[in-house]
Amino acid sequence: MRKNYFAKLVKHMKNVYYIESELTKLTDLRVNPTYDTAQVITLVLLGFLLRIKSFNELNISWFLV
C-alpha cells in the first residue's frame, strides 16, 4: 500500500465531496446529546474506511475530548 494513502483519501473526500460541510448539516432526534452528530458519523465513516470490525476495537477517547 502506498505511503500516506489514508491522508490522501481524506483530502480527496474533503475536496471532492465536501464531506466536512455535509456532515455539519446532519441532525438527529437525540435530546441533549453529549456528542455532535457529525462527530459520531465521522467515527463510523473512519471505522468503515479502516475496515474495523467492531467499535470495541476503536480506542477513540482521545478523539472525543
Side-chain angles (χ1 to χ4, degrees):
M1 189 179 296
R2 289 190 322 235
K3 194 173 186 178
N4 297 326
Y5 175 75
F6 187 69
K8 289 180 183 181
L9 177 63
V10 171
K11 183 178 178 182
H12 176 75
M13 287 172 42
K14 288 181 179 180
N15 293 334
V16 175
Y17 298 109
Y18 307 107
I19 194 79
E20 287 177 317
S21 63
E22 296 300 321
L23 285 176
T24 57
K25 295 177 186 177
L26 292 175
T27 59
D28 60 7
L29 301 176
R30 293 179 293 163
V31 177
N32 196 13
T34 304
Y35 302 108
D36 188 33
T37 306
Q39 290 176 325
V40 175
I41 299 299
T42 301
L43 289 175
V44 171
L45 180 61
L46 289 175
F48 176 74
L49 291 174
L50 295 173
R51 297 183 181 181
I52 294 175
K53 296 177 184 169
S54 73
F55 288 113
N56 293 331
E57 291 183 26
L58 292 174
N59 185 7
I60 57 171
S61 58
W62 60 270
F63 184 77
L64 296 175
V65 174

